[in-house]
Amino acid sequence: MFPLNIRFVFKVLGMMHMLESFFVLCATGVAFHYRGPDCCPLLVSFGIMLGAGLIFRLIGRNSRQMYTGRREAGLAVTLTWILLSFFGMLPFLFGGYLDSVTDAFYEVMSGFTTTGSTTFADVEVLPHGILFWRSLTQWQGGVGMIVFTVALLPLVGGGATQLFDAETSAIKHEHFLPRVTQTAKRFFGIYLLITCILTLLLWAGPMDFFDAVNHAMTTVSSGGSSTKNASIAHWDSPYIYYVTTVFMFIAALDFTLIYFLFKGKRKKITRHEETHCLAIFIIVATLLMTAILFFRNHDADLELLFRKVLFQITSIITTTGYVVSDYSVWGTFFTLIALILMTVCGCAGSTSGGMKMGRFVILVKNARNEFRKQTHPNAIIPVRMNGHVIPADTVQRVQTFVFVYVISVIVGCAILLIDGLPFKEATGMAASAIGNVGPALGKYTGGVFADLSAVGKWTLSFLMLIGRLEIFTVLMLFLPGFWKR
């Protein structure tokens, strides 16, 4: 094995920080436009991030790309997300909008991982530039910061594929174009187009342009941060509810499928089992909960009840995290449904988090095959998905992933319980954080964790990170063998 190519890691970090400084500059432009007090904090943060990027790039100027592999990719991607979160928190601290490093780091990590939970009890007091920066972190994190770099600054060379695979969430990546830089550009183009379309649709409704841009970014990214304390419920508009619901669902689809849809290959979607299962989960859960809640209160407006249930279930399963109703009053049965939705979530290759619907389908089919083998022990029954046989090693990786995923939730829950949280809240927070959902259970259904202790916030920050990077990319750094030559 070749020694760790640390210069390549610094080269990636340099590129990422220089690119990120451009996004901070965009937020600074918004602050100047609205003449807010956040101009100076954002401008200083831009200078610091750009300077750090130049230093990192200088250190990595002579990187040997022919020696890049999974180790370099895993380390570069993990450090990128951690360091950008540290530099990204500077506007909150310099402007005095948050008082502690813990709160500021949690806020930015929640943004980049598109979790959407917050330490702000009142977001409406924040100036426009800071609100835009919060939304912008989610928009970048939705498609992935490395994907942004590969698409906009294709200078990584031989390490592009390893970086792309280390960050993007798919069971098995389908590079539908010969070069990974081309794939990243198509992803970015689709992502930008969907964001622009949603912005125009929201702007056509009761939202002003600023709110429309912010909510389009946080919807398409499955992030869920809002410029209003009441989230989407602030507008109380059926049009906004239904439009946002549709685009939350679109954001939870495999971007490869959306690409094929634009190419006119509609059969790719009609035959895609992950998409079918996602739709079935939403339809069944929505009809079931609407019926339960309506029979509890026959005087309720049925359309309004259906709209809120559909929106909330779609928001949870797609890990967008918008909240339009205090679903803690919907009963303990919905608590069970919410936990299931937080775990299964959207499709692989989408902006949503969680275990992914594709892994769930593979687990169910593999379990079914095991039952069949009990009566036909000599039969060879492969797991099939979308008409293709899933290799046995892929099934094994899925099983391992789910096992580590569940263990991570249990460990995170245990730490939160030791920290003094009730069982429902601790379980909901751990599942929500690693699934990048945002809202949790109990009194934290709103996703506001301002009163959580420092231990709890750092624990959830780590869970958000490993959940967004599909666990193994981060956890392999803790293996002694990773650092051996």
Side-chain angles (χ1 to χ4, degrees), residues 52-359:
L54 292 172
I55 293 173
F56 289 147
R57 186 67 181 84
L58 185 64
I59 297 173
R61 66 188 183 280
N62 294 323
S63 65
R64 297 166 295 170
Q65 294 177 354
M66 68 286 294
Y67 295 134
T68 59
R70 291 184 178 181
R71 293 197 304 163
E72 288 80 5
L75 183 60
V77 168
T78 303
L79 287 179
T80 292
W81 286 73
I82 293 175
L83 291 178
L84 285 183
S85 295
F86 271 110
F87 283 103
M89 70 182 182
L90 296 180
F92 297 109
L93 294 176
F94 290 161
Y97 305 110
L98 289 172
D99 297 328
S100 69
V101 171
T102 297
D103 286 353
F105 181 83
Y106 180 93
E107 190 70 28
V108 181
M109 180 61 76
S110 175
F112 279 135
T113 59
T114 72
T115 304
S117 55
T118 181
T119 56
F120 285 109
D122 184 3
V123 298
E124 294 183 25
V125 301
L126 298 176
H128 288 80
I130 292 297
L131 287 173
F132 185 75
W133 174 236
R134 292 175 75 237
S135 302
L136 200 55
T137 58
Q138 293 198 349
W139 191 64
Q140 295 173 76
V143 75
M145 271 99 74
I146 295 297
V147 173
F148 265 98
T149 303
V150 175
L152 302 180
L153 299 174
L155 306 174
V156 182
T161 301
Q162 288 89 345
L163 289 169
F164 188 86
D165 289 342
E167 183 186 65
T168 52
S169 56
I171 299 168
K172 184 179 180 181
H173 300 307
E174 184 177 354
H175 298 312
F176 48 84
L177 294 170
R179 294 177 62 85
V180 71
T181 52
Q182 294 175 316
T183 302
K185 287 179 180 178
R186 296 301 187 279
F187 275 10
F188 176 71
I190 294 169
Y191 194 63
L192 180 61
L193 177 61
I194 296 174
T195 305
C196 292
I197 292 173
L198 181 56
T199 298
L200 294 176
L201 290 174
L202 294 176
W203 192 23
M207 286 190 186
D208 62 28
F209 184 71
F210 178 78
D211 288 329
V213 170
N214 280 270
H215 286 86
M217 289 194 294
T218 57
T219 298
V220 174
S221 64
S222 301
S225 285
S226 177
T227 57
K228 305 298 181 183
N229 292 328
S231 191
I232 297 296
H234 173 85
W235 287 273
D236 193 25
S237 164
Y239 172 81
I240 295 295
Y241 273 62
Y242 287 122
V243 168
T244 308
T245 300
V246 170
F247 277 82
M248 285 192 293
F249 180 79
I250 292 173
L253 300 179
D254 188 340
F255 268 49
T256 306
L257 288 181
I258 300 176
Y259 171 81
F260 285 132
L261 180 62
F262 282 125
K263 298 292 287 187
K265 299 179 180 179
R266 296 179 179 84
K267 290 184 179 180
K268 287 280 187 178
I269 292 183
T270 58
R271 297 175 180 176
H272 197 252
E273 293 185 49
E274 259 194 299
T275 303
H276 299 166
C277 289
L278 177 62
I280 290 172
F281 263 83
I282 293 175
I283 293 170
V284 172
T286 299
L287 294 178
L288 182 61
M289 281 309 304
T290 301
I292 292 174
L293 294 177
F294 183 72
F295 282 120
R296 288 180 185 172
N297 182 12
H298 293 283
D299 296 329
D301 183 333
L302 183 58
E303 187 279 329
L304 176 61
L305 184 60
F306 171 80
R307 186 201 323 159
K308 287 188 174 182
V309 172
L310 173 63
F311 183 97
Q312 198 61 67
I313 285 175
T314 306
S315 177
I316 294 175
I317 198 170
T318 61
T319 73
T320 307
Y322 288 133
V323 179
V324 296
S325 181
D326 182 8
Y327 55 82
S328 64
V329 301
W330 290 0
T332 54
F333 180 68
F334 186 75
T335 299
L336 174 63
I337 292 179
L339 277 175
I340 295 173
L341 300 179
M342 287 179 186
T343 304
V344 178
C345 303
C347 301
S350 69
T351 62
S352 64
M355 184 177 71
K356 300 293 187 299
M357 190 65 67
R359 292 191 177 97

Side-chain angles (χ1 to χ4, degrees), residues 408-421 426 430 453-460 462-463:
S408 300
V409 173
I410 293 173
V411 172
C413 178
I415 295 174
L416 296 174
L417 288 172
I418 294 173
D419 197 42
L421 285 174
S453 70
V455 172
K457 289 171 183 172
W458 285 108
T459 300
L460 295 181
F462 182 73
L463 289 176

